[in-house]
Amino acid sequence: MNEYKKELELYEQLNEIAVKGEVVVFGSAFAKNIPVSELAQTYGIDRCVYNRSFGDMSAADALNLAEKAVLPLQPKKIILQLGETDLERGYKSVTEIIKDYNELIRKFRENNKRVKIVILSVCSEENETDKLNTALENIAHKTKCQFVDVSGSVHAENPYLKVFSEIRLFIPDKINFCDAMSFAGAY
């Protein structure tokens, strides 16, 4: 856990001044690089969106880090993107990653029964990526979370911008007509 010490200390300080009950992005290296606050402003999202991701965080480490980085924010919505570090470093199998996801979801719901959880697919080209993304979609359905497949973003010119443009419609509680039509591909 010492490898996360500086990031965790920063997040703890930021959490003291952050608005409670908003949206938190919690993930590993890929999610950490998404400039969520700037993109939320650009897209006119009228909610606070906090990125509490850690570079190279494993799904198992997420369980402990969530206690101090995410739960104090009392998020209304959590966007999860974990697993690529586990695959890339060979830390865990897909089965073990899914077990950690189940524990994390349970922990979030114990803290707030009404929290909405959005699970993002992994953006990686590792061997087990397709298998993990299928398992993530299955766990989302079983645990009544939303699932967003952003795996194709890995090949985009700017994958972080592409991912945010895909998940931005999952951030507000309600979407307007124009966003709904855009989401449906009508224009």
Side-chain angles (χ1 to χ4, degrees):
M1 282 300 199
N2 284 337
E3 65 265 32
Y4 309 116
K5 185 178 180 186
K6 279 186 160 184
E7 290 173 296
L8 185 57
E9 286 174 355
L10 173 63
Y11 292 155
E12 287 177 309
Q13 291 170 3
L14 291 172
N15 287 351
E16 289 179 21
I17 60 171
V19 177
K20 307 296 186 249
E22 293 292 330
V23 179
V24 176
V25 175
F26 186 56
S28 189
F30 187 89
K32 182 170 178 57
N33 289 316
I34 301 171
V36 296
S37 294
E38 185 171 337
L39 291 171
Q41 286 178 326
T42 299
Y43 283 108
I45 295 171
D46 62 352
R47 300 206 59 162
C48 294
V49 184
Y50 301 110
N51 195 337
R52 294 299 184 260
S53 300
F54 292 80
D56 295 328
M57 177 175 58
S58 71
D61 288 342
L63 290 168
N64 292 323
L65 292 168
E67 288 287 334
K68 294 183 179 178
V70 177
L71 295 182
L73 291 169
Q74 303 164 359
K76 187 173 189 174
K77 192 172 288 187
I78 301 169
I79 299 171
L80 284 175
Q81 202 272 328
L82 295 164
E84 82 265 0
T85 298
D86 299 280
L87 291 181
E88 290 169 3
R89 307 277 193 278
Y91 291 158
K92 300 262 184 148
S93 69
V94 170
T95 303
E96 291 169 313
I97 295 167
I98 295 303
K99 182 180 176 231
D100 292 335
Y101 258 90
N102 271 316
E103 284 297 309
L104 196 55
I105 291 166
R106 184 189 57 73
K107 180 181 278 195
F108 289 147
R109 293 220 168 111
E110 279 178 358
N111 189 59
N112 176 358
K113 291 181 187 342
R114 295 179 181 229
V115 68
K116 291 182 169 77
I117 300 171
V118 179
I119 298 174
L120 303 184
S121 64
V122 171
C123 292
S124 175
E125 295 181 315
E126 292 298 314
N127 289 336
E128 299 276 320
T129 299
D130 290 341
K131 183 178 177 184
L132 177 57
N133 285 337
T134 299
L136 290 173
E137 186 172 11
N138 289 337
I139 193 175
H141 293 298
K142 288 178 185 172
T143 59
K144 295 184 170 103
C145 297
Q146 293 178 297
F147 178 78
V148 183
D149 184 0
V150 296
S151 61
S153 300
V154 74
H155 300 294
E157 184 176 329
N158 185 332
Y160 309 110
L161 181 58
K162 175 77 171 141
V163 166
F164 193 85
S165 70
E166 291 185 35
I167 65 170
R168 70 184 172 93
L169 299 175
F170 293 87
I171 293 172
D173 291 330
K174 297 176 183 174
I175 61 173
N176 63 38
F177 179 75
C178 291
D179 285 340
M181 295 305 287
S182 176
F183 185 66
Y187 66 99

